[in-house]
Amino acid sequence: MRLMVVPAMLLVLAAAGCAKRPATSMASAPAPSGAAGSTAMTPAAVASQAPATSSTSGGGTTRAATATARPQPGTFRAVPDLKDVHFDFDKYEIRPADARTLDANAAWLKSNASMLVLIEGHCDERGTNEYNIALGERRARATMNYLISQGVAQSRVSIISYGEERPVCTDHNEACWAKNRHAHFLVKPQ
């Protein structure tokens, strides 16, 4: 009997230690200065929150990180006053030139306090879909955190990551890839 128990326990431990798929995480960067609740969006599980009969198209799926209502990206629109910011390859840090762009965007958002903003995180085509979704979220979150640090109310800001799913340029060279590594801004009235 003992001879069968030990191999059985080893088999159970080995099976439990083998991951079938990478786990997704809802962890997020801490909010600056203790601000409360924004809606963080990441393409990972709209199907888990939507009715079972619905489906998504166009690549990304979304899930809300908080209990607040999930924004509908189709209801937001671009405005020429809000400029995109770009990122270095495989990075999500705000560059000095882009910080000036974000300062101008923050000023516009503060002077238009009735507008909600959706920040889209985008990547170039290099890397896996899963990696680019996560990187796009980190880019959108870094952008959101910068705007919040400049006085934009966190409750007005939502983020979503499209990863590599919505390129602005489809050539396969560095100049094109640099255009695709960006955070894009959309707004709508509250």
Side-chain angles (χ1 to χ4, degrees):
M1 184 71 159
R2 275 188 171 165
L3 293 175
M4 293 182 70
V5 172
V6 171
M9 288 177 47
L10 289 175
L11 182 61
V12 170
L13 288 174
C18 296
K20 305 297 185 258
R21 340 178 14 159
T24 56
S25 171
M26 290 296 292
S28 63
S33 64
S38 88
T39 302
M41 303 290 290
T42 60
V46 149
S48 69
Q49 292 191 2
T53 58
S54 72
S55 66
T56 60
S57 62
T61 58
T62 58
R63 105 183 125 197
T66 64
T68 60
R70 186 173 9 145
Q72 300 298 318
T75 62
F76 287 80
R77 64 180 171 81
V79 292
D81 297 313
L82 295 176
K83 306 294 184 206
D84 290 357
V85 293
H86 293 85
F87 298 88
D88 292 328
F89 174 70
D90 203 28
K91 304 283 184 201
Y92 58 94
E93 292 83 17
I94 305 296
R95 303 181 298 190
D98 292 305
R100 290 188 291 279
T101 301
L102 287 176
D103 290 340
N105 287 356
W108 187 89
L109 288 166
K110 288 190 287 188
S111 68
N112 291 276
S114 65
M115 301 298 266
L116 299 174
V117 62
L118 176 65
I119 303 170
E120 299 177 339
H122 297 272
C123 300
D124 64 37
E125 66 189 32
R126 298 171 292 178
T128 65
N129 287 338
E130 294 81 12
Y131 180 82
N132 285 331
I133 290 293
L135 181 58
E137 180 181 0
R138 287 191 298 269
R139 289 174 175 168
R141 190 168 303 286
T143 304
M144 175 188 75
N145 287 341
Y146 188 92
L147 291 176
I148 292 167
S149 74
Q150 297 303 307
V152 176
Q154 184 173 1
S155 61
R156 295 175 53 205
V157 183
S158 299
I159 64 171
I160 190 167
S161 173
Y162 290 111
E164 63 189 73
E165 298 299 318
R166 295 186 178 187
V168 293
C169 181
T170 56
D171 294 339
H172 304 287
N173 58 53
E174 183 55 41
C176 183
W177 292 328
K179 292 176 186 176
N180 291 333
R181 298 188 304 258
H182 68 284
H184 182 67
F185 300 89
L186 300 170
V187 296
K188 75 173 185 177
Q190 288 188 20

